[in-house]
C-alpha cells in the first residue's frame, strides 16, 4: 500500500509533502497586515490623522468608479453587438473604436476625454441647442442646451467620461467573446422559429451570454476601480489624490501611502472574493 | 408562379446549387413535396442532404435556383423570411433547446414573440404539445435535466407549437443513445399519420420504410434516385443506390 502512495506522490506536478505547505500563507500575511493597519489607525494619532484625511476620497473613488462602470457597460454592450454584427458600418465603427482605445494608455485616454472629448461634446450640444432654438416647440430646450458651458461639467464628470470611454472598449470585447461563445445552433434554432435577429439576440443569445460574462465583468470592475486612481491627474479628490496631498502636507509617506494602499486593497480583495463566489455559483447552475 | 399551378405542391425546389468554398454541396437539385407527404432523404455523409433541408427555410442561402414554400419564393429579396420560417418547423440533430429557459418557456417563447399569443394561450398550447410528445410532466424542468430523447421530443413540441405547415427533421436521432431513438421515432411516425407534411433527413431505414411516402437518395450534391419505399428498397435502379443499400442493410 505504501509503495503505491509513494508512486502517486512522485508523479505529482507539485509535490506537497505536508499540509503546512498548502496553507494560504499569502492570505494570512494580508490579514495580519490589515489587522496591523486597522490597529494603527485606531491607536496611533498619526495614522488616525492620515486615515481621516484620505477617507473623504473613498466616496469620490466609489462614485466615479460606479458611474464610469455603468456607462462602460452600456457602451460596451452597444460596441460588442457591433463587433458581431453583419452590418458593415456598425461592425467597422465598433472595431475601429475598440482597436483605437485598446492601443492607448488609460492615463492618456483620461486626459484626452477630459480636455478634448468633453469640450468637443459640449460644443456639439451648444450647436444642437442653437439649431433647436429655431423651432418654436423646442425653443426652451434649445436655449437650455445653449447655456451649458464647460463650467457645468466638473473634473470628476470629465474623469468619468475618460474612464468610461476606455473601459467601454474592454467591455465590448468581453461581450463579443460572450456572444460568440454561445453555440451557433442557438441562433439557428431561434431564427428557424421565425424570430428576427434582434429578437433572437434579446431572448436567446444575450441572456445566456450575460451569465457567461459575469465573472470577467466582475474582474473588469476591479480593474476600473484600480484605474480610477489615475483620475488624480485631473486633481479629482479621490483616495489617491488625497493621499498625495496628505503626504505633501505632512511628509508622513508611510502613513499616507499605507492607508491609501490599505483602502484600495480592502475593496479589491473583497470584490475578487465576491467574483469567485459568483463564478462558483454559476458553475454549479450549469 | 409555378407553385400556384398545383395547389397540392407545398415545397418546390428548382435547380438549387450551393457551394461552401470549393466544395459543391448541391449541384442543381430539383424536387417537389406534396401537401401531407412524408419525404425521407437518405445518402452517405457529405452528400448534401442536410444542406438541401436547410435551404428550404433558408438557414443556408442557396447560390442559385429557386425554392417555393407554399407558393412563396423564399430566396426572393422582398420575401419576409421570418414569416416563412414561422410556418416551417425544423428539428436539429443537436436539439438546440434554449438552456436558460424551462421546457415550458422554450415552447412558449416563439409563440409569444413571433405569433404574438397571450401568455395563457401560449402556455395552453405548450402543455398540449408536451402531452402530444408524451412528456407533460417535464414542463417545469430545464433542458439540462432531461435525457437526449426527452430533449428532442421537447424540440419537436417547440416546433409544433407554432402550428407549422411543414416539419423538417435534420438527422433527429443521430445524436441519441440507441435506447432513446425509438421514443423520438414513435413521435415522428405518429406525426406522419396525422397528415403533417414532413421532410426528414435520416439514417433510420426502419423509419423510412414505415413512414415515408417517398424516398430521395442523394450523393455528391445530386439526387440519384427517388421512389416509393417499396420500390427503393426492393428494386433500386441505380448502381450507386444498390452499392449504398448493400452497405447499410
Amino acid at each position: 500500500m505504501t509503495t503505491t502512495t509513494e508512486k502517486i506522490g512522485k508523479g505529482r506536478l507539485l509535490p506537497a509533502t505536508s499540509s503546512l505547505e498548502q496553507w494560504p500563507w499569502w492570505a494570512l500575511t494580508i490579514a495580519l497586515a490589515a489587522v496591523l493597519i486597522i490597529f494603527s489607525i485606531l491607536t496611533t494619532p498619526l495614522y488616525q490623522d492620515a486615515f481621516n484625511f484620505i477617507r473623504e476620497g473613498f466616496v469620490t473613488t466609489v462614485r466615479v468608479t460606479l458611474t464610469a462602470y455603468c456607462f462602460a457597460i452600456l457602451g460596451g454592450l452597444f460596441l460588442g453587438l457591433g463587433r458581431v454584427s453583419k452590418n458593415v458600418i456598425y461592425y467597422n465603427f465598433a472595431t475601429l473604436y475598440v482597436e483605437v482605445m485598446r492601443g492607448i494608455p488609460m492615463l492618456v485616454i483620461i486626459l484626452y476625454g477630459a480636455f478634448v472629448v468633453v469640450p468637443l461634446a459640449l460644443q456639439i450640444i451648444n450647436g444642437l441647442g442653437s439649431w433647436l432654438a429655431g423651432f418654436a416647440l423646442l425653443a426652451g430646450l434649445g436655449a437650455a442646451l445653449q447655456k451649458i458651458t464647460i463650467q457645468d461639467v466638473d473634473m470628476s464628470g470629465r474623469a468619468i467620461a475618460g474612464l468610461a470611454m476606455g473601459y467601454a472598449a474592454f467591455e465590448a470585447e468581453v461581450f463579443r467573446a460572450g456572444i460568440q461563445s454561445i453555440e451557433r445552433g442557438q441562433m439557428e434554432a431561434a431564427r428557424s422559429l421565425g424570430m428576427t435577429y434582434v429578437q433572437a439576440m434579446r431572448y436567446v443569445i444575450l441572456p445566456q451570454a450575460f451569465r457567461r460574462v459575469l465573472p470577467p465583468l466582475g474582474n473588469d470592475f476591479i480593474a476600473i476601480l484600480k484605474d480610477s486612481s489615475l483620475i488624480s491627474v485631473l486633481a479629482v479628490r479621490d483616495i489617491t489624490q488625497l493621499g498625495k496631498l496628505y503626504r505633501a502636507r505632512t511628509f508622513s509617506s508611510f502613513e499616507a501611502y499605507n492607508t491609501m494602499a490599505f483602502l484600495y486593497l480592502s475593496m479589491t480583495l473583497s470584490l475578487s472574493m465576491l467574483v469567485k463566489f459568483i463564478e462558483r455559483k454559476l458553475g454549479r447552475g450549469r | 408562379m409555378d407553385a400556384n399551378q398545383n395547389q397540392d405542391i407545398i415545397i418546390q425546389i428548382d435547380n438549387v446549387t450551393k457551394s461552401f468554398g470549393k466544395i459543391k454541396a448541391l449541384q442543381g437539385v430539383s424536387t417537389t413535396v406534396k401537401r401531407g407527404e412524408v419525404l425521407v432523404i437518405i445518402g452517405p455523409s457529405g452528400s448534401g442532404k442536410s444542406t438541401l433541408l436547410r435551404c428550404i427555410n433558408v438557414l443556408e442561402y442557396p447560390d442559385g435556383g429557386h425554392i417555393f414554400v407554399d407558393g412563396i419564393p423564399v430566396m426572393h429579396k422582398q420575401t419576409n423570411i421570418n414569416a416563412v420560417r414561422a410556418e416551417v418547423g425544423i428539428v436539429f440533430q443537436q436539439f438546440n433547446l434554449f438552456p436558460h429557459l424551462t421546457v415550458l418557456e422554450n415552447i412558449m417563447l416563439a409563440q409569444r414573440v413571433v405569433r404574438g399569443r397571450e401568455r395563457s394561450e401560449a402556455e395552453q398550447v405548450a402543455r398540449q404539445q408536451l402531452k402530444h410528445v408524451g412528456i407533460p410532466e417535464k414542463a417545469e424542468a430545464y433542458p439540462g435535466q432531461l435525457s437526449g430523447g426527452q430533449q428532442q421530443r421537447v424540440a419537436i413540441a417547440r416546433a409544433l407549437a407554432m402550428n407549422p405547415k411543414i416539419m423538417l427533421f435534420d438527422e433527429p436521432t443521430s445524436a441519441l443513445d440507441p435506447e432513446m431513438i425509438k421514443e423520438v421515432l414513435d413521435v415522428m411516425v405518429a406525426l406522419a399519420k396525422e397528415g403533417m407534411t414532413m421532410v426528414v433527413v435520416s439514417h433510420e431505414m426502419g423509419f423510412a420504410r414505415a413512414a415515408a411516402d417517398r424516398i430521395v437518395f442523394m450523393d455528391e450534391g445530386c439526387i440519384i434516385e427517388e421512389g416509393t419505399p417499396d420500390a427503393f428498397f426492393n428494386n433500386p435502379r441505380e448502381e450507386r443506390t444498390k452499392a449504398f443499400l448493400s452497405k447499410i442493410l
Side-chain angles (χ1 to χ4, degrees), chain B residues 68-172:
Chain B
F68 298 92
V69 172
D70 209 13
I72 301 163
V74 295
M75 288 161 60
H76 205 280
K77 286 271 184 291
Q78 262 100 52
T79 301
N80 177 2
I81 191 59
N82 298 316
V84 177
R85 283 179 180 149
E87 308 295 334
V88 182
I90 184 164
V91 175
F92 300 92
Q93 184 178 347
Q94 299 297 340
F95 328 134
N96 293 344
L97 294 179
F98 308 135
H100 61 301
L101 301 176
T102 65
V103 165
L104 204 62
E105 288 164 345
N106 259 279
I107 307 176
M108 287 166 65
L109 178 61
Q111 292 190 63
R112 299 200 64 204
V113 302
V114 179
R115 290 275 193 238
R117 287 176 189 160
E118 291 296 322
R119 171 172 283 280
S120 56
E121 190 195 352
E123 183 172 340
Q124 196 195 332
V125 172
R127 289 194 187 278
Q128 189 188 325
Q129 289 301 344
L130 274 179
K131 208 179 281 171
H132 197 170
V133 299
I135 37 173
E137 72 281 5
K138 297 291 183 188
E140 318 302 332
Y142 281 88
Q145 299 165 325
L146 304 180
S147 73
Q150 289 169 336
Q151 288 192 49
Q152 194 59 298
R153 287 192 279 164
V154 172
I156 294 173
R158 180 175 69 176
L160 287 176
M162 297 292 286
N163 305 109
K165 292 176 182 148
I166 303 163
M167 283 287 283
L168 310 176
F169 292 84
D170 188 1
E171 303 197 22

Side-chain angles (χ1 to χ4, degrees), chain A residues 186 188 191-192 203 208, chain B residues 54 85 97-100 113:
Chain A
Q186 292 290 310
E188 278 186 353
R191 296 303 306 273
S192 78
Y203 295 107
Q208 294 182 60
Chain B
R54 290 159 59 84
R85 283 179 180 149
L97 294 179
F98 308 135
H100 61 301
V113 302

Side-chain angles (χ1 to χ4, degrees), chain A residues 95-110:
Chain A
T95 307
L96 176 75
Y97 183 93
V98 168
E99 291 298 331
V100 167
M101 282 300 168
R102 289 204 307 170
I104 302 175
M106 190 54 67
L107 183 57
V108 178
I109 296 179
I110 288 171

